[in-house]
Amino acid sequence: MLNLERLRTLDALARHGSVSGAADGLHVTTSAVSQQLSKLEREVGQQLISKNGRGVRLTDAGQLLAAHAARILSQVELAQADIEAQRGQVVGEVRLAGFPTAARGLFPRAITALRTVHPELRVRSSELEPEAGIRAVLRGDVDLAVVLDWSNKRLPVPGGLAQAALLDDAADVALPADHPLAGRTEVDLEDFADAEWVSWPEGEFCHDWLVFTLRSKGIEPRIAHFAGEHHTQLALIQAGLGVCVTPRLGRGPAPEGVVLVPVRQAMHRHIYAVWRTDADRRPSIRAAVDALQDAAGTVGGPN
């Protein structure tokens, strides 16, 4: 009889592509992964992995068994969902991930509500950028991720995921208080064609959106500073080092010396939750979505 945990280890290796990646995804040591794979090889009587430079690769037998393992684990997920649905009780564990401003703006209220209403449910949370959150859900590393689209740029979401809308989050331009446009009630992005910008790090979805949006308006962005945290971005604005787009969710009050001005053609982020469709019937998933939607309702939409 094949051992389920060893199949889970093989599946993690196939998904992550390395022993260290599988160990990180399973929250175990690399030696534990190697031991489980060695035991699985003895169980099936065939070599499942082989050396590939400094790493490893799956043999033909390993790829065949990994494909079966993925289907078996999906069926286990469905079985768990059916059992939970039949019991109708929100118990066990749910793992949430969200990009930083969602984690700051939604998770405290949502998780507190879940602990109050469903005391037998354990909730774990982590910060992940939207694309990484989707990958984590697909791999099974988290149960639910909060991700985003911008109003003019969609985040690619593969099949096999269910979605639920949470809120639309407006964004403003942050300026130093002594900027010539700081007294305006509204601005256009074209007003900052010659400005230096503070942006999210290169490669992140929001950075790509900013560059795409400015170029669509005929502006070649002059990005002088990169910072992943909105509070760091606003500190750079406070020092007079540029301008930035700053969404409202999780933002808090602007620091002294920073002015937030709405954009005339409103920009907003569509924020939503995603989870695997084979987990859709789990009461814990439904409870987490409800709690996130309730938390989002206290934030409000763009204004």
Side-chain angles (χ1 to χ4, degrees):
M1 174 94 45
L2 293 173
N3 180 280
L4 185 62
E5 287 308 309
R6 290 167 198 158
L7 290 177
R8 196 181 303 278
T9 302
L10 180 65
D11 176 68
L13 178 67
R15 288 185 287 103
H16 292 277
S18 68
V19 171
S20 60
D24 289 341
L26 295 170
H27 306 290
V28 298
T29 64
T30 54
S31 62
V33 169
S34 298
Q35 289 171 15
Q36 290 284 64
L37 292 172
S38 295
K39 291 177 180 178
L40 185 58
E41 286 184 326
R42 290 197 293 272
E43 283 180 350
V44 300
Q46 292 195 62
Q47 185 178 358
L48 301 176
I49 59 174
S50 62
K51 293 286 187 180
N52 183 30
R54 299 180 65 179
V56 298
R57 65 173 181 82
L58 291 175
T59 64
D60 289 346
Q63 292 176 9
L64 177 64
L65 186 56
H68 282 291
R71 290 192 291 270
I72 290 167
L73 293 170
S74 179
Q75 284 300 119
V76 170
E77 183 78 30
L78 287 170
Q80 180 183 359
D82 284 345
I83 290 296
E84 285 190 24
Q86 186 180 54
R87 292 175 63 185
Q89 297 177 347
V90 182
V91 297
E93 180 179 85
V94 64
R95 299 161 298 169
L96 311 179
F99 57 94
T101 51
R104 183 164 60 245
L106 298 177
F107 282 8
R109 186 182 294 271
I111 294 171
T112 298
L114 284 170
R115 292 179 64 180
T116 301
V117 179
H118 307 291
E120 295 187 43
L121 178 67
R122 298 184 304 276
V123 183
R124 293 168 53 193
S125 69
S126 58
E127 284 188 359
L128 286 176
E129 292 297 329
E131 290 167 312
I134 285 177
R135 290 194 298 270
V137 171
L138 289 170
R139 291 195 305 260
D141 296 340
V142 301
D143 299 305
L144 182 152
V146 177
V147 300
L148 65 91
D149 291 324
W150 281 92
S151 51
N152 60 338
K153 189 174 178 64
R154 299 294 302 273
L155 177 71
V157 177
L161 297 181
Q163 302 181 23
L166 299 180
L167 77 153
D168 284 343
D169 179 36
D172 306 305
V173 175
L175 312 170
D178 59 358
H179 192 282
L181 302 180
R184 293 268 194 94
T185 57
E186 290 182 322
V187 291
D188 293 308
L189 290 182
E190 291 89 339
D191 295 332
F192 304 99
D194 298 322
E196 289 192 333
W197 285 86
V198 177
S199 169
W200 296 269
E202 290 182 292
E204 289 190 6
F205 181 67
C206 287
H207 167 82
D208 294 343
W209 164 82
L210 178 64
V211 173
F212 168 81
T213 300
L214 292 175
R215 285 177 176 168
S216 72
K217 296 181 178 295
I219 303 168
E220 185 57 35
R222 297 168 53 204
I223 299 177
H225 307 285
F226 297 89
E229 265 289 334
H230 284 257
H231 290 168
T232 305
Q233 293 178 2
L234 292 177
L236 292 165
I237 305 306
Q238 186 180 34
L241 298 176
V243 301
C244 75
V245 170
T246 177
R248 297 175 185 174
L249 177 64
R251 184 173 69 195
E256 185 178 353
V258 174
V259 174
L260 305 172
V261 184
V263 178
R264 185 170 288 107
Q265 293 182 331
M267 303 177 296
H268 67 270
R269 306 184 298 178
H270 174 57
I271 297 172
Y272 54 103
V274 298
W275 62 95
R276 286 167 55 137
T277 53
D278 56 15
D280 195 51
R281 295 182 61 192
R282 288 176 55 188
S284 57
I285 295 289
R286 305 311 310 178
V289 172
D290 289 345
L292 287 166
Q293 288 178 325
D294 287 345
T298 68
V299 174
N303 50 41

